[in-house]
Amino acid sequence: MNTIGTLLLAALLVAACGPSGTGDDDLIDAPPSDGVQPPILVPGGGVTSAPLAGALNVYVIEPGGVTPIAGAQVHLGGAGDALQQDATTDATGLASFRDAGLTGGLTVTATAAGRTAATWIGVTGGNVTIPLARRPDSPATARASGTIAGWNNLPAPAFGHYTLGLVTYSFTAEVGAADNRLTQATDGNGAPLNTCVNTGLSNSCAWQLVTRTGPQLHTAVIVDGNAHGTTDPSDDTYTLIGYAAGAPVTLTAGQQLTGESLTMVPAASQTPLTVTFPGAAPGLPTALAIPMLDTGATGQIVFPLPAVTSAQRSTQVLAPSGAFAGSYRLVGLATPSATATAPYSTSFTAVANLASASLPSWLAPPTGLSTSGGTFGFTAPGASVAYANFSTGGSAAWTVTLLDGVHPFRLPAIAPDPLGAGTVTLDVTAADVPGFAASDFRVDEVAASLARASGATTTFTR
């Protein structure tokens, strides 16, 4: 079950911007405000290629759409820059700036009450749309409960073994989205409730699942667990028994779906998957590949167990046809150990041949993290774009997107200070995004174009 936690490490890839051209058909034009250039809103966030020559339009929006955030504060200028300007967004979420000193390489910061502050460094386009996430990022959830049909007909586990059924929901397209990082409820002993367990002495299959909203599919992977004579679950190993799945459902916020029965999937509907791993990344000897089946409308089915590793490269997954028609991709993850979360390296790879899937070479994690004197620096060779996430009190307080390469930076002076005083956690992410252009990109395309990423973390006191 620790593999689920490892999978969620990929959520560190949640980024403030994404790659690729915006496409004129997707942009929303507003009437010209002063005849210099019309403001253009990029749905989901991003930058257009309109030249930044004395004119800058900044929209501030809710993540993932076009809903404006009125009354947001927009600040131009980095720490020590000669140009420092401020504006407040109007009812459409727009703040416009006109000044001959507005040229490429600007630092733009957006803040709003109850939101994570966002700074983009190296802005070169004349139209910018910045999404601001709520703080803390608490997505709407629903709950489902039920059983696995035929659970009691499975063979009893051998001595020292147990039968585990792990129930999960299908992910949305963006693996690192908050919807895909929901915390599951546990019982009084700390065991997750989204499981069925037969120890040979006790047997129960009445699972409860905290899930996201929207169209989705609930599935269970059923494995034989070998405890290896210990009570420490971190050394348990798993052998696949099979899968179970429910019918597609669409859930709304707060909905309680009860009595759901997951049906065993016939062995004939499974197919082998074999993965070739790259050489180990320096300092990251523990690597695994997490298969994901993209079914389209109902999301991505995740296969967390048994773990696919360089030592155990093959498993059985659901054949991508019939009720499970879709396409596979792999999430590769390398860490220092099975329990460590940082540093890490990860990759996203489409799978054309399940019998011969390959992960690309690992992107080396950022090194040389420095927080000395209020200057933040790190080195990340091979990165197209980099991000720095500052967290306080367990939630993101300020995100910084480095569009102009990886280099030391200072946070702009804005009031109120999003970080305040105290302990701050800094997570840095380097991303390899083929085709990324800082002057013209869409935030919501990062999931489709991100090839590799890596990250590291540190803490400091202000």
Side-chain angles (χ1 to χ4, degrees):
M1 285 177 282
N2 286 338
T3 309
I4 283 289
T6 308
L7 167 65
L8 298 183
L9 181 57
L12 294 174
L13 302 177
V14 174
C17 72
S20 302
T22 53
D24 292 340
D25 292 341
D26 295 330
L27 303 178
I28 300 176
D29 293 359
S33 58
D34 61 2
V36 177
Q37 66 177 21
I40 298 177
L41 187 154
V42 183
V47 173
T48 74
S49 57
L52 203 174
L56 176 67
N57 302 305
V58 180
Y59 279 98
V60 182
I61 63 170
E62 296 273 1
V66 297
T67 303
I69 299 178
Q73 302 300 308
V74 180
H75 177 79
L76 299 188
D81 289 352
L83 178 67
Q84 302 284 334
Q85 294 190 14
D86 294 278
T88 301
T89 59
D90 62 18
T92 70
L94 174 65
S96 293
F97 299 84
R98 301 293 184 263
D99 190 295
L102 296 176
T103 57
L106 285 177
T107 296
V108 182
T109 300
T111 61
R115 307 274 177 168
T116 299
T119 295
W120 291 9
I121 298 176
V123 172
T124 59
N127 291 291
V128 180
T129 303
I130 299 178
L132 290 186
R134 295 184 182 275
R135 185 185 185 207
D137 189 0
S138 300
T141 63
R143 290 179 179 268
S145 61
T147 189
I148 298 175
W151 174 264
N152 290 330
N153 297 328
L154 294 172
F159 179 77
H161 290 234
Y162 56 92
T163 303
L164 169 69
L166 176 64
V167 180
T168 59
Y169 59 90
S170 55
F171 279 15
T172 59
E174 184 185 350
V175 174
D179 285 344
N180 301 329
R181 295 182 281 122
L182 301 179
T183 301
Q184 295 300 317
T186 59
D187 64 16
N189 297 317
L193 296 181
N194 61 321
T195 57
C196 295
V197 180
N198 182 356
T199 65
L201 298 177
S202 63
N203 185 14
S204 173
C205 189
W207 53 265
Q208 299 177 41
L209 180 69
V210 178
T211 186
R212 62 181 179 84
T213 59
Q216 56 194 272
L217 192 66
H218 301 155
T219 58
V221 57
I222 304 168
V223 295
D224 172 78
N226 185 345
H228 296 288
T230 75
T231 58
D232 180 6
S234 67
D235 65 357
D236 292 5
T237 56
Y238 304 96
T239 302
L240 181 69
I241 294 174
Y243 295 98
V249 295
T250 298
L251 302 180
T252 57
Q255 183 174 350
Q256 302 264 353
L257 175 65
T258 61
E260 184 178 11
S261 181
L262 306 185
T263 303
M264 296 284 187
V265 177
S269 296
Q270 300 176 28
T271 189
L273 168 71
T274 300
V275 179
T276 298
F277 284 75
L284 306 176
T286 302
L288 72 158
I290 303 162
M292 302 182 72
L293 173 57
D294 187 352
T295 65
T298 55
Q300 302 185 89
I301 301 174
V302 181
F303 299 85
L305 296 176
V308 180
T309 68
S310 55
Q312 181 59 51
R313 301 190 302 114
S314 298
T315 189
Q316 293 277 327
V317 294
L318 297 177
S321 60
F324 306 107
S327 58
Y328 270 94
R329 68 169 173 163
L330 292 176
V331 177
L333 188 62
T335 56
S337 69
T339 56
T341 59
Y344 73 93
S345 182
T346 192
S347 61
F348 300 86
T349 309
V351 178
N353 183 354
L354 290 173
S356 181
S358 298
L359 291 174
S361 60
W362 303 108
L363 182 66
T367 58
L369 272 68
S370 172
T371 62
S372 177
T375 296
F376 305 97
F378 58 94
T379 301
S384 308
V385 61
Y387 316 97
N389 183 72
F390 298 85
S391 298
T392 60
S395 68
W398 198 337
T399 64
V400 177
T401 301
L402 303 169
L403 297 172
D404 56 353
V406 179
H407 59 81
F409 67 93
R410 296 177 64 88
L411 294 172
I414 58 175
D417 184 345
L419 299 184
T423 300
V424 180
T425 299
L426 170 60
D427 297 302
V428 296
T429 302
D432 173 19
V433 185
F436 177 80
S439 62
D440 189 11
F441 66 86
R442 282 279 296 265
V443 167
D444 58 5
E445 292 176 352
V446 67
S449 300
L450 180 66
R452 302 180 300 164
S454 60
T457 187
T458 190
T459 58
F460 62 97
T461 302
R462 301 186 85 211

